[in-house]
Amino acid sequence: MSMQPRASSAVDEGATTEPSTAAGQGTADLVRCEGLRKAYGDHVAVDGVGFTIAPGEAYGLLGPNGAGKTTTISMLCGLQRPDEGRVVVAGVDMLAAPAEAKARIGFVPQDLAIYPDLSARENLTFFGRLYGLAGTRLRERIDTCLEVVGLTERAGDLAGTYSGGMKRRLNIAAGLLHEPQLLVLDEPTVGVDPQSRNAILESVDRLGAEGMALLYTSHYMEEVERLCDRIGIVDHGRMIAEGTRRELVASISGLDRVDLDLHGDPSAVLAALDGLPGCEQVTVEEQRLTALSTDGAALVAPLVGAVAEAGASVAGVVVTEPDLEAVFLSLTGRALRN
C-alpha cells in the first residue's frame, strides 16, 4: 500500500473535535487574522496581513504567484508559526491552543491528499479515525460527506481509478468529515475538466449556503466571483485591497454598461433620459443605446420606463459589469495566472 499523501486537514492526529464551551462566544467573526508576518531570512513573505471571515461567509484570497497566499494559509491553519501576529478561530487562539483551533478547520490542499490504493470509503474511514471519529458517528459522517461531493455510487471503488475531478471531490470530503466551522480550499479545481469543475463548485456553493465559513483560493477568477462574498487581494506579502466584488470594482472607478436595442426615435429617447438618476453617461449609435452607471442592474427598469415614455420600445437589454480581472490587473499589474 502506498503511504505518501499528507493529511487533508490542519488537524493534529488524535486532536479532539469537541468544541470548547467558550469557543466563539461573544465574537462576530469566526476567523480573525491580525498582523500576520513571516520572513525567511531577508525575504519577507507575509508582511502585516489581516482579515476576518464571518460565519457562513465565503472569503476569496487572491494574489499572483509568490504574493504570500500559501504562507498566509499555512499560518491560518497552524501549519507555520507566524513571526508576528495572531490567528483566532471560533474564539480559540491558534498559538495558545493549537490543537483546539485546528479542530475547527478543514483544510483541502492543492496537492491531492488521498490514498489511491484505498476506496473512497476506506480513505474517509482512515481520515475520520485521525479526527477521533468511530462507530456509527463515523459511518454517518462518511455517508454525508460522500453525498455532499456526489461520490456515493462510487464509494467502494479504489480512488486510483477515479478521474481527476472525482479525486478532487474526495479530497474535499476528507476535509469535511469532522464538521469544521471553517473550510479552507486551496485551488480545489486545478487540472480538472469543466464538468467536474462545475460539480465541485456546486458542492462548495452548497456548503456556503448551509452556513459553513469558507476560505477559497483559485487561479480562476470566475470561480471567486461566483462563490465569494468578499475578496482580499495580496501582493508582495501585503493585503492591498479588500471588499465585495462591487466595492473592488468601484475602487478603480469601474462603471457598469447597459446596452439597449431600440425600436423608435433615438433622439427622443436621449431627450427622455436627460437627468435620469443613476445614469452617468448615455450614447446612441443607430438603434443601440449605451448607458454607464455605478449599478447597471438597478438602472434597467428606469431606462426601460424612460424609453417607453419617449414612445419607443426595447428589443433587448444587456448589462455588463467590470470584472474582477480588471481590478486585479489594475492593482497588481499582473494577471492572476502569471
Side-chain angles (χ1 to χ4, degrees):
M1 179 186 302
S2 170
M3 298 291 285
Q4 298 165 359
R6 299 189 302 272
S8 62
S9 168
V11 181
D12 286 341
E13 294 187 12
T16 177
T17 59
E18 291 297 319
S20 166
T21 55
Q25 291 184 4
T27 58
D29 298 313
L30 179 69
V31 178
R32 179 171 293 277
C33 299
E34 300 175 345
L36 294 179
R37 188 179 191 277
K38 186 69 178 179
Y40 303 97
D42 294 332
H43 173 64
V44 179
V46 176
D47 189 8
V49 167
F51 57 90
T52 62
I53 307 175
E57 181 179 28
Y59 188 93
L61 190 64
L62 296 178
N65 288 336
K69 300 190 306 298
T70 299
T71 303
T72 298
I73 290 173
S74 295
M75 289 188 287
L76 184 150
C77 292
L79 303 177
Q80 291 192 61
R81 186 182 182 92
D83 297 332
E84 298 177 15
R86 67 196 294 249
V87 175
V88 179
V89 182
V92 181
D93 190 292
M94 182 65 73
L95 294 179
E100 189 176 357
K102 291 176 184 180
R104 285 150 177 75
I105 301 172
F107 179 42
V108 181
Q110 180 176 344
D111 295 329
L112 290 171
I114 57 176
Y115 295 104
D117 299 330
L118 298 179
S119 69
R121 188 173 296 278
E122 289 169 338
N123 266 284
L124 296 183
T125 298
F126 171 76
F127 286 115
R129 287 172 177 167
L130 293 182
Y131 295 131
L133 300 174
T136 301
R137 181 58 180 158
L138 175 56
R139 291 191 293 272
E140 289 175 348
R141 287 303 302 154
I142 289 173
D143 289 342
T144 297
C145 293
L146 287 170
E147 182 180 357
V148 167
V149 299
L151 290 177
T152 300
E153 294 182 1
R154 297 288 302 273
D157 296 345
L158 296 182
T161 67
Y162 282 5
S163 68
M166 293 172 67
K167 291 175 182 176
R168 291 282 169 194
R169 283 186 274 161
L170 181 56
N171 218 33
I172 293 172
L176 292 171
L177 277 170
H178 60 301
E179 296 185 275
Q181 292 169 272
L182 170 71
L183 185 65
V184 178
L185 298 124
D186 187 10
E187 303 281 356
T189 65
V190 66
V192 304
D193 62 272
Q195 183 176 359
S196 295
R197 183 176 170 217
N198 190 60
I200 291 170
L201 294 178
E202 287 179 352
S203 297
V204 173
D205 201 19
R206 181 161 57 144
L207 291 169
E210 292 173 353
M212 182 175 290
L214 304 172
L215 176 62
Y216 195 91
T217 74
S218 176
H219 278 85
Y220 300 106
M221 196 72 75
E222 64 273 17
E223 293 182 4
V224 177
E225 290 187 308
R226 170 177 170 177
L227 296 173
C228 297
D229 303 302
R230 286 190 304 129
I231 301 149
I233 298 177
V234 295
D235 196 20
H236 301 295
R238 292 180 173 272
M239 182 75 74
I240 61 172
E242 184 185 53
T244 65
R245 178 194 172 281
R246 182 164 291 281
E247 288 169 345
L248 291 172
V249 168
S251 73
I252 62 166
S253 301
L255 294 174
D256 296 349
R257 171 175 163 169
V258 183
D259 291 310
L260 279 68
D261 291 325
L262 300 174
H263 288 316
D265 180 5
S267 60
V269 171
L270 274 176
L273 294 179
D274 186 32
L276 184 68
C279 192
E280 302 286 334
Q281 178 182 331
V282 182
T283 58
V284 174
E285 185 174 341
E286 296 181 350
Q287 295 297 114
R288 169 62 65 90
L289 181 147
T290 299
L292 300 181
S293 173
T294 56
D295 191 345
L299 185 62
V300 170
L303 275 177
V304 172
V307 168
E309 290 179 6
S313 61
V314 176
V317 179
V318 176
V319 178
T320 305
E321 299 178 351
D323 60 16
L324 204 52
E325 187 76 44
V327 175
F328 194 86
L329 281 167
S330 174
L331 293 174
T332 69
R334 292 179 279 176
L336 183 59
R337 293 178 179 85
N338 286 350

